[in-house]
């Protein structure tokens, strides 16, 4: 049997592009609770910063300009 990830193994690579990697977690398990600190951090990131793509194609965050 072939090993996925070999240099010349194009069949498995084609299948992975369609089906994606294996799911590790239990899909029937209940969602975990998100801590309040994580919610606050996410809100801060989304309201105070803007995602910008640089000339090299990498995204980074820039602080939003202050509104008067």
């Amino acid at each position: 049997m072939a090993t996925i990830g070999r240099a010349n193994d194009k069949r498995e690579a084609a299948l992975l592009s369609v089906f994606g990697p294996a799911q590790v977690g239990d899909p029937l398990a209940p969602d975990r609770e998100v801590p309040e600190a994580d919610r606050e951090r996410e809100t801060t990131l989304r309201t105070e910063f803007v995602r910008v793509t640089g000339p090299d194609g990498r995204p980074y965050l820039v602080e939003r300009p202050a509104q008067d």
Side-chain angles (χ1 to χ4, degrees), residues 3-66:
T3 303
I4 295 176
R6 289 192 329 208
N8 294 324
D9 196 4
K10 295 182 181 175
R11 291 175 293 173
E12 281 85 359
L15 286 174
L16 280 176
S17 70
V18 175
F19 295 109
Q23 185 171 356
V24 178
D26 180 8
L28 300 178
D31 293 337
R32 68 174 182 86
E33 291 295 321
V34 179
E36 187 61 34
D38 287 350
R39 285 189 193 141
E40 290 175 8
R41 180 176 180 271
E42 180 71 19
T43 302
T44 301
L45 284 173
R46 292 193 180 273
T47 57
E48 295 181 10
F49 295 95
V50 178
R51 184 181 307 268
V52 178
T53 303
D56 60 351
R58 292 184 184 180
Y60 59 95
L61 296 177
V62 176
E63 191 170 2
R64 287 184 192 265

